[in-house]
Amino acid sequence: MSDQSPNPTPDDVPFRYTAALAQEIELRWQEEWDRRGTFHTPNPVGSLTDGAGRLAAPGARPFFVMDMFPYPSGAGLHVGHPLGYIATDVVGRYRRMCGDNVLHALAFDAFGLPAEQYAVQTGQHPRTTTEANIAIMQRQLRRLGLAHDPRRSFATIDPDYVRWTQWIFLQIFESWYDEDAVRPDGGTGRARPVAELVAEYEAGTRALPADVEGVTPGATWADLDAATRRRVIDSRRLAYLSDTPVNWAPGLGTVLANEEVTSEGRSERGNFPVFQRNLRQWNMRITAYADRLTDDLERIDWPEKVKSMQRHWIGRSTGARVRFAVQGGEQVEVFTTRPDTLFGATFLVVAPEHALLDELPAAWPDGTSTAWTAGHATPSDAVAAYRAQAAAKTALERQQDAGRKTGVFTGHLAVNPVNGELLPVFTADYVLLGYGTGAIMAVPGGDERDFQFAEAFGLPVVYTVDAPEGTPPGARTHDGLVVGSANDEISLDGLDVTQAKERIVTWLEAKGVGERTVTYRLRDWLFSRQRYWGEPFPVVYDEHDTPIALPDSALPVELPDVPDFSPRTYDPDDADSEPEPPLGRNTDWLHVELDLGDGLKTYRRDANTMPNWAGSCWYHLRYLDPHSDDRLVDPALEEYWMGPGHGSQPAGSTGGVDLYVGGVEHAVLHLLYARFWHKVLYDLGHVRSAEPFHKLFNQGYIQAYAYTDERGVYVPAAEVVEDEASPTGFTWDGQPVNREYGKIGKSLKNAVSPDEMYEAYGADTLRVYEMSMGPLDLSRPWETRAVVGAQRFLQRLWRNVVDETTGELVVSEEAPSAETLRVLHRTIVDVREDMEAMRINTAIAKLIVLNNHLTTLDRAPREAVEALVVMTAPVAPHVTEELWARLGHDESVVHASFPQADPQHLVEDTVTCVFQVQGKVRGRADVPTSVSEDELRALALADEGVQRALAGRDVRTVVVRAPKLVNVVPA
């Protein structure tokens, strides 16, 4: 839509607050803040002091506020990006005015695929592109007046930062998880150095694992050769190499973690098909932390939606492992959450990749149904054909195709341990090797999917749950009393499900064919990427292809300059292709001579790089101690800024960042990975906080209208005009266009740059508008024409202090009237309450009410004006800084104390006003009986319930019946 830029200042009002004056004020104060070191946050110890050279004041509460890492895009920012940055800035400025020592800084997550893809296209080094993009974002963000400490900024590509990322990787590599070790918080299970594990093996105080090649029963550490010892240790490391099924995206030329694959089985980046392959890659044993990652969600202040997403992703299930003997083959182990239904199991299903299928009967057993063989003469033929069919599908496709009930009998027969009946073993591709045990027991009488499979293949159905007479055939998925579940040694009949589970598991354990256990959906984190633009692994490989950690003195391992930044990519559907990372072609870098204690030898570097998530796993710690070169973070600083119970956090808290703001899209990927890394560092004693982020807030998004012509092609939104003559109400270039509502972006041609807003209105106006659009956690529509409302608020504030003609002060030195004092102190109470709850939009509405009240006076009293200026400073820092100086203050308004209400001025007659949307009550507010219609209109439109009911719709009219009713009518 075409905007309404403010007119130039007429000659007779040279001091009017216009976009030009706003820009002059903003740029001048930004320079002044830098000169003074206004936002230099002092540490309690060390070299980082405030602008006056002082360390943190002993009585000041620390408050650490953080934004989620921005990725420096070449397109720069659009007006949707600053929403969270402005919000954290408002909160930080408010907390600073309340006496807190506020740490707020911004760094850049600079490794990643977009810069690499641009480098592939242009030949320009990713570092050059990335640093240029960072400079663009820094300029745009600086114009917003964000109160970041510039000394604490960095990028993940900085060599000093890469060094510590690699150092943390080595800490994880040189650690193992001891499930019995006691943690500082009293819980059991923590990471310990590998050196301690070796010491226990040497002393004979810990038994050697029996499942490692070369370890014989009764062997001691002294009996093992060097290679076997290394296999034993490597099998326990938190960071380890393994040949495991991975997600291979030929179109990207790299493997992906499970979390980077969409629910449609495609790559999150680029939307390419993803296939299962077995490859040797780095993994991180995040599964060792599954219980802690789940349980500790109860100890942090996060949105329940995000907690639920993490719980679902971790997927903890309690049940039993049950072993079925197989005639002529290895036993099959299944995991089931319903061991009480074992008497109803009538067949087993294993994944096509299951090891049981590597050896098959030579012929079909007597009585095999032709429906089970898919027309093949032998089990080997049938299974080979089915395996080939399954290999061509992604894991998601296999799950989605489960309704088709494809499968084939393997020729194997398993023995049900509770009744001795022989069960046919099928293979079907909806069972995945990477989940559970890769095998399931099928109970068609109690599971709908199993019932459908049984119907398709003519398999028997046995019911183990009681049902009323006349219940139709089908799976009985309801809870009820157990029936048909008894043998000579045990009976479950008549028990409820909970009782039956307990009894059958106890029996299975006594018979040695099963035990209680817990399984997880979470899989170890695949940590290798076949990319160039990422952190190199700080390891080398010897002549035995064994990974060896580099010493700290060899860090950082930096990327070499290469002529070709591209991994080898393939046809997106070429599932048989092989990864070929770009570093693998740089032989001069790949092969290196080093003396690692055995004399000078030639080693091979790892040609893969770390995923882009590595750098964002620990950046919160770098803000605390950004220049440290001898340790990850000074313990005193981590204790001060993030320790348990620090600042305003309750005693016994996990500690962590006080407020972390960002999008919900990072609920699983970044947040889960960062929690894992932080917990490892906690276990090893590098930090005292048990969680990285104490409070998480997910901001909504700014969306915008987009317009399409009759062809469905997007047209520039800025050139669209309202046109009553058009059948759609809008035209572009004289032609009708259709309006839709969605994301801001280049593809929809509706992006608005903050630079445009700075020029047309000023940064403070943009800040006030974005913060007043609605509740911070909701998405809201951008409307350029509405920005002028925020500008008018600031213009009125300006006129309450400055004469537009002469530039002189117009405030009164007389005491405020009783009415003004009541309005002022009620505003103080309400704004404090709203700011504490991050209801910034309603706080602004109440500031507008106070401002409007002052405009009705001949001259606004200084006492009320100064309080208003201070309360407005967090949202509009530049203009308030200017007004504060004009009011005669030498010190920055940043350091002014936020006003406190005087109770004697809060006593007045009030009435409850009801806010309606289309006649339905959506909110209420206690207001003075003298409240004006304008004040009620502003309060109603800022109300959270009203905003939710409007759901982004325009407002046609607002009907005010002061002081008791406001009815909002949407367009």
Side-chain angles (χ1 to χ4, degrees):
M1 300 293 295
S2 58
D3 62 37
Q4 297 180 349
S5 299
N7 295 321
T9 307
D11 291 340
D12 57 340
V13 282
F15 294 96
R16 175 166 293 173
Y17 183 75
T18 62
L21 180 57
Q23 176 169 289
E24 186 274 320
I25 290 171
E26 289 162 3
L27 293 176
R28 175 161 45 82
W29 276 107
Q30 286 161 14
E31 291 294 330
E32 185 65 14
W33 289 333
D34 283 349
R35 187 187 68 80
R36 296 182 183 181
T38 300
F39 305 124
H40 287 189
T41 299
N43 277 340
V45 296
S47 61
L48 291 182
T49 63
D50 66 10
R54 299 168 299 201
L55 290 171
R61 291 188 312 182
F63 184 80
F64 185 5
V65 56
M66 253 180 68
D67 306 272
M68 286 191 183
F69 248 173
Y71 182 82
S73 165
L77 302 175
H78 60 62
V79 291
H81 290 124
L83 180 67
Y85 304 142
I86 299 171
T88 53
D89 189 62
V90 171
V91 171
R93 287 174 177 271
Y94 168 73
R95 296 298 293 257
R96 189 179 285 110
M97 287 178 155
C98 292
D100 290 356
N101 183 24
V102 176
L103 171 53
H104 193 196
L106 193 72
F108 296 89
D109 193 11
F111 281 120
L113 197 56
E116 183 172 284
Q117 290 177 325
Y118 186 77
V120 170
Q121 296 165 5
T122 64
Q124 186 176 65
H125 197 285
R127 181 176 294 277
T128 302
T129 305
T130 302
E131 289 176 346
N133 294 345
I134 289 174
I136 292 171
M137 287 190 68
Q138 285 177 323
R139 176 188 60 79
Q140 290 182 311
L141 292 172
R142 185 175 189 272
R143 276 291 280 117
L144 276 173
L146 302 177
H148 296 152
D149 185 342
R151 305 168 302 170
R152 299 176 187 261
S153 186
F154 53 85
T156 53
I157 60 175
D158 295 345
D160 286 346
Y161 192 86
V162 170
R163 172 197 172 192
W164 288 110
T165 303
Q166 293 171 338
W167 183 88
I168 296 173
F169 173 86
L170 292 179
Q171 296 297 301
I172 300 172
F173 175 70
E174 296 287 12
S175 299
W176 62 292
Y177 199 79
D178 184 349
E179 296 178 351
D180 300 317
V182 178
R183 298 193 300 272
D185 62 9
T188 56
R190 64 178 176 90
R192 295 175 59 195
V194 161
E196 296 179 6
L197 177 63
V198 173
E200 292 184 9
Y201 284 146
E202 289 176 340
T205 56
R206 180 172 294 274
L208 294 172
D211 57 351
V212 175
E213 179 188 350
V215 179
T216 57
T220 66
W221 187 253
D223 297 330
L224 306 184
D225 60 25
T228 305
R229 290 180 178 180
R230 183 58 193 259
R231 283 195 296 271
V232 168
I233 296 302
D234 287 352
S235 72
R236 305 296 300 274
R237 294 183 188 273
L238 286 178
Y240 63 95
L241 286 164
S242 71
D243 292 297
T244 54
V246 299
N247 303 303
W248 166 238
L252 286 175
T254 190
V255 298
L256 302 171
N258 289 341
E259 294 84 357
E260 295 173 300
V261 180
T262 68
S263 58
E264 289 77 33
R266 303 177 75 85
S267 63
E268 185 185 52
R269 175 78 67 178
N271 198 37
F272 288 105
V274 175
F275 302 93
Q276 290 284 303
R277 292 289 307 279
N278 277 337
L279 296 171
R280 188 170 187 245
Q281 306 283 299
W282 281 104
N283 293 266
M284 287 203 171
R285 210 178 299 275
I286 191 174
T287 50
Y289 285 80
D291 282 328
R292 289 168 65 184
L293 290 170
T294 301
D295 296 340
D296 285 356
L297 289 169
E298 300 303 320
R299 304 176 62 199
I300 51 181
D301 185 4
W302 284 21
E304 186 55 40
K305 176 171 65 174
V306 176
K307 290 184 180 182
S308 296
M309 292 169 73
Q310 291 217 352
R311 290 190 197 102
H312 173 74
W313 191 262
I314 297 167
R316 181 167 63 189
S317 297
T318 302
R321 287 184 182 269
V322 184
R323 288 177 288 281
F324 291 75
V326 176
Q327 291 186 342
E330 296 290 333
Q331 67 181 9
V332 174
E333 186 174 75
V334 305
F335 170 79
T336 176
T337 58
R338 294 293 304 273
D340 57 294
T341 64
L342 258 169
F343 286 91
T346 59
F347 60 98
L348 302 185
V349 186
V350 300
E353 301 85 2
H354 198 284
L356 180 70
L357 306 189
D358 294 339
E359 292 187 18
L360 298 167
W364 296 115
D366 292 342
T368 297
S369 168
T370 56
W372 298 1
T373 66
H376 292 282
T378 66
S380 295
D381 291 343
V383 170
Y386 193 80
R387 277 179 150 179
Q389 174 186 326
K393 296 180 182 179
T394 66
L396 186 78
E397 287 171 337
R398 287 166 59 167
Q399 292 287 290
Q400 290 175 334
D401 288 348
R404 294 174 48 222
K405 298 301 172 288
T406 67
V408 68
F409 179 39
T410 67
H412 282 302
L413 296 173
V415 180
N416 191 328
V418 298
N419 55 23
E421 294 188 4
L422 294 179
L423 311 181
V425 181
F426 283 76
T427 183
D429 59 12
Y430 70 86
V431 179
L432 304 178
L433 187 65
Y435 291 90
T437 64
I440 65 169
M441 69 176 205
V443 184
D447 182 274
E448 188 61 42
R449 184 170 61 177
D450 294 346
F451 182 84
Q452 293 171 2
F453 195 98
E455 277 199 317
F457 288 90
L459 292 157
V461 177
V462 174
Y463 292 105
T464 61
V465 176
D466 194 16
E469 188 174 342
T471 299
R476 298 177 183 174
T477 56
H478 62 275
D479 285 340
L481 297 182
V482 177
V483 297
S485 300
N487 61 28
D488 292 342
E489 299 179 7
I490 184 174
S491 174
L492 309 181
D493 293 345
L495 302 179
D496 62 29
V497 170
T498 301
Q499 295 169 326
K501 281 183 179 181
E502 179 63 26
R503 183 172 295 183
I504 190 62
V505 173
T506 300
W507 184 85
L508 290 169
E509 289 178 333
K511 302 292 286 186
V513 292
E515 55 272 331
R516 292 172 178 81
T517 191
V518 179
T519 64
Y520 305 87
R521 181 177 181 268
L522 181 68
R523 290 295 169 262
D524 281 347
W525 178 11
L526 178 65
F527 203 69
S528 296
R529 296 296 182 275
Q530 288 68 49
R531 313 297 321 182
Y532 169 76
W533 195 229
E535 297 93 342
F537 284 96
V539 298
V540 291
Y541 298 86
D542 64 12
E543 66 273 19
H544 305 296
D545 206 28
T546 300
I548 299 172
L550 289 173
D552 290 355
S553 59
L555 305 182
V557 178
E558 298 194 60
L559 287 167
D561 287 331
V562 298
D564 182 4
F565 307 108
S566 177
R568 184 179 179 187
T569 57
Y570 302 85
D571 182 292
D573 295 312
D574 186 359
D576 296 325
S577 49
E578 291 285 341
E580 184 183 297
L583 289 177
R585 298 190 290 267
N586 192 299
T587 56
D588 290 342
W589 179 84
L590 197 63
H591 301 286
V592 58
E593 283 196 342
L594 297 169
D595 185 349
L596 299 179
D598 295 327
L600 197 63
K601 293 170 58 175
T602 298
Y603 296 91
R604 174 177 55 84
R605 296 190 191 273
D606 198 313
N608 295 316
T609 53
M610 299 185 200
N612 61 298
W613 307 107
S616 60
C617 279
W618 72 279
Y619 72 114
H620 49 285
L621 297 175
R622 193 62 174 173
Y623 286 136
L624 313 183
D625 200 4
H627 307 128
S628 174
D629 58 6
D630 61 344
R631 53 191 165 185
L632 181 69
V633 60
D634 185 328
L637 299 182
E638 194 270 338
E639 173 80 9
Y640 177 80
W641 290 112
M642 294 182 61
H646 79 275
S648 58
Q649 289 187 22
S653 73
T654 63
V657 175
D658 295 285
L659 176 63
Y660 192 31
V661 175
V664 73
E665 68 272 14
H666 296 298
V668 171
L669 288 161
H670 158 59
L671 290 173
L672 194 63
Y673 295 155
R675 294 181 66 214
F676 165 54
W677 273 38
H678 196 87
K679 287 182 180 299
V680 176
L681 294 172
Y682 170 77
D683 288 351
L684 297 176
H686 299 298
V687 298
R688 287 205 62 230
S689 47
E691 285 279 340
F693 313 118
H694 170 70
K695 180 178 177 64
L696 175 69
F697 187 94
N698 296 132
Q699 88 275 10
Y701 297 94
I702 292 180
Q703 299 173 308
Y705 290 116
Y707 302 85
T708 56
D709 61 20
E710 59 184 5
R711 301 166 298 167
V713 175
Y714 288 101
V715 303
E719 300 173 11
V720 172
V721 295
E722 291 189 26
D723 188 344
E724 293 182 358
S726 168
T728 65
F730 304 94
T731 58
W732 174 75
D733 199 23
Q735 300 299 314
V737 290
N738 296 301
R739 184 170 76 167
E740 62 183 59
Y741 181 54
K743 295 192 303 182
I744 295 179
K746 290 187 295 183
S747 62
L748 273 61
K749 296 187 177 180
N750 63 349
V752 180
S753 167
D755 294 337
E756 299 173 47
M757 294 296 101
Y758 301 152
E759 182 178 354
Y761 298 98
D764 278 343
T765 293
L766 175 63
R767 289 172 61 109
V768 171
Y769 174 64
E770 293 209 1
M771 290 296 96
S772 63
M773 292 169 75
L776 191 57
D777 60 337
L778 297 182
S779 294
R780 70 287 309 276
W782 175 268
E783 182 57 75
T784 300
R785 294 178 305 171
V787 179
V788 71
Q791 185 188 45
R792 286 174 182 151
F793 162 56
L794 296 181
Q795 287 176 328
R796 290 184 182 124
L797 174 64
W798 179 266
R799 286 197 297 269
N800 276 327
V801 182
V802 178
D803 187 293
E804 292 184 331
T805 303
T806 66
E808 295 177 352
L809 284 181
V810 294
V811 297
S812 167
E813 300 299 332
E814 296 180 3
S817 67
E819 180 186 3
T820 295
L821 286 172
R822 280 197 301 270
V823 174
L824 170 62
H825 288 269
R826 172 49 55 192
T827 302
I828 293 172
V829 169
D830 290 346
V831 169
R832 272 186 170 271
E833 183 179 294
D834 287 341
M835 293 293 276
E836 292 290 341
M838 292 183 68
R839 295 191 299 265
I840 304 172
N841 63 310
T842 55
I844 292 172
K846 288 154 188 171
L847 293 172
I848 291 173
V849 169
L850 173 60
N851 193 47
N852 288 345
H853 170 80
L854 296 181
T855 61
T856 65
L857 308 178
D858 290 338
R859 289 166 68 90
R862 175 182 285 272
E863 181 179 336
V865 165
E866 290 199 347
L868 175 59
V869 167
V870 171
M871 288 189 289
T872 307
V875 289
H878 307 91
V879 66
T880 52
E881 191 77 88
E882 179 72 11
L883 293 175
W884 192 245
R886 287 175 178 253
L887 286 164
H889 298 278
D890 294 328
E891 190 174 47
S892 170
V893 72
V894 169
H895 302 302
S897 295
F898 206 85
Q900 295 275 6
D902 186 338
Q904 69 173 320
H905 300 303
L906 298 177
V907 181
E908 68 169 323
D909 294 331
T910 61
V911 64
T912 299
C913 182
V914 173
F915 301 146
Q916 297 179 339
V917 177
Q918 289 183 298
K920 294 184 178 180
V921 176
R922 300 298 185 183
R924 292 178 172 85
D926 291 333
V927 298
T929 55
S930 59
V931 67
S932 70
E933 290 191 3
D934 286 344
E935 291 168 343
L936 283 177
R937 184 179 293 106
L939 288 172
L941 292 175
D943 183 79
E944 187 168 328
V946 171
Q947 287 284 336
R948 292 184 189 275
L950 287 173
R953 292 176 291 176
D954 288 338
V955 174
R956 188 173 72 194
T957 187
V958 180
V959 179
V960 182
R961 297 287 183 265
K964 293 186 177 181
L965 177 67
V966 180
N967 186 34
V968 180
V969 182

